[in-house]
Amino acid sequence: MQHHDEDPVRSPLLNLLTLVTLITVLVAAGYLADYYLRDSRENVTWYPPRMHCDLRDGACRTDIGLSGTLRFEIHGDFASYEPLTLDVQTSGIEVASAVVEFVGRDMNMGLTRVELEEVGDGHFRGVGELRPCTETVMPWRAQVILTTPEGQEGSWFDFDIHR
């Protein structure tokens, strides 16, 4: 029996294909890790607001699913950065809990999350604060997330604070 100790020379094409395969596996592993480790907000079914509504002028409403409605209102002086009373009312859907998250739209201001207390059938209330900002105009988004038998459902409401 004859034994050859020759190491065949790898072609440049085989080296390239090996590198491409390795990169593909690393990218796929990154997406997989992101999918399993992402924030719980990613599992929310978002429903867009009905129309443009300015929370500084009063309550805003939107549809949640086919039969539900959401009414969201903020009481207090937006520009003073004092605690604000948050009011969520729902109808047509069964809601176990409600959360409001404030996020800066154009600037990372961190996440302010306020868990609301149920004060009546489909009515939730809580107190939250916006983080101070040195900008003349600070655009914010209030994300209202409801826990329903179908999972987490929500909508968002954009507003600006003028200093």
Side-chain angles (χ1 to χ4, degrees):
M1 185 185 235
Q2 196 174 22
H3 181 30
H4 295 296
D5 284 335
E6 296 176 10
D7 188 18
V9 178
R10 293 174 122 181
S11 73
L13 179 59
L14 182 60
N15 288 337
L16 178 64
L17 290 174
T18 302
L19 180 63
V20 168
T21 301
L22 180 61
I23 291 171
T24 303
V25 167
L26 289 174
V27 168
Y31 278 112
L32 189 62
D34 179 60
Y35 177 77
Y36 284 107
L37 300 175
R38 74 175 71 171
D39 196 344
S40 63
R41 287 179 285 139
E42 299 293 331
N43 297 324
V44 176
T45 301
W46 294 106
Y47 296 95
R50 277 188 193 163
M51 319 162 50
H52 176 71
C53 177
D54 192 343
L55 286 167
R56 294 175 300 159
D57 295 335
C60 293
R61 291 174 176 76
T62 193
D63 297 322
I64 300 293
L66 296 175
S67 61
T69 58
L70 164 68
R71 179 185 179 277
F72 178 56
E73 188 171 14
I74 299 177
H75 304 279
D77 182 11
F78 286 71
S80 70
Y81 294 107
E82 294 295 320
L84 302 167
T85 301
L86 312 174
D87 191 78
V88 170
Q89 294 182 27
T90 61
S91 62
I93 54 174
E94 183 181 330
V95 178
S97 65
V99 172
V100 175
E101 296 177 342
F102 290 111
V103 266
R105 289 195 330 257
D106 295 339
M107 180 185 302
N108 183 358
M109 296 293 290
L111 176 70
T112 301
R113 182 179 174 93
V114 181
E115 295 191 23
L116 307 181
E117 293 183 24
E118 188 169 12
V119 294
D121 189 31
H123 188 186
F124 300 85
R125 200 174 269 152
V127 176
E129 295 180 21
L130 297 170
R131 296 187 178 169
C133 180
T134 58
E135 299 292 321
T136 305
V137 176
M138 179 60 199
W140 287 95
R141 172 167 287 175
Q143 299 176 155
V144 180
I145 302 170
L146 309 172
T147 301
T148 70
E150 288 76 31
Q152 291 187 316
E153 300 178 295
S155 189
W156 65 91
F157 303 93
D158 294 339
F159 61 98
D160 296 333
I161 293 184
H162 302 271
R163 290 190 42 201

